Amino acid sequence: MVRNLLAVVAALVAVVIVVAGIELAGHRLFPAATPMVAADPDAMRDFVQSLPVGALLMVVLAWTLGAFVGSAVAIRLAVSQHALLAWFVGGLVLAMVGTTVWQIPHPGWMVAAG
């Protein structure tokens, strides 16, 4: 039980590392033309709409690989209930993606891909 809990924690750490790393690479490959203003929802919407498609694709790649790597870590480290823990980690990533697209307006194709 404790090892399964630690497997989920390790999986979530892996998700954060993968997502942050890929999104950082996306920021370097596709720098934003305008600075981000997180406090103003309208400015944030305009910022996301101004990003190149490549930058948005990097975000979707980060979400996808984060879920995959996190689930793989959970499967590898868990003692039992491997599939359940992998689905749980994937569900948490989906919840995080849902929260992100709810708080920050994204193009429809990104919402669907997420």
Side-chain angles (χ1 to χ4, degrees):
M1 175 72 168
V2 172
R3 182 156 172 196
N4 284 351
L5 179 62
L6 291 175
V8 170
V9 171
L12 293 176
V13 169
V15 168
V16 170
I17 290 169
V18 169
V19 170
I22 293 173
E23 288 190 7
L24 179 63
H27 289 301
R28 298 218 172 152
L29 288 171
F30 305 99
T34 59
M36 181 175 67
V37 181
D40 181 14
D42 292 329
M44 193 63 168
R45 183 192 66 242
D46 294 341
F47 172 76
V48 171
Q49 289 177 351
S50 73
L51 292 173
V53 174
L56 300 176
L57 286 171
M58 290 293 285
V59 172
V60 173
L61 177 67
W63 294 341
T64 304
L65 286 181
F68 178 77
V69 169
S71 295
V73 168
I75 288 170
R76 177 80 174 117
L77 298 179
V79 175
S80 62
Q81 300 176 334
H82 300 92
L84 177 66
L85 294 178
W87 279 101
F88 181 72
V89 170
L92 289 176
V93 173
L94 180 62
M96 291 179 219
V97 169
T99 301
T100 300
V101 299
W102 178 66
Q103 291 178 339
I104 302 168
H106 287 73
W109 66 266
M110 279 188 77
V111 175

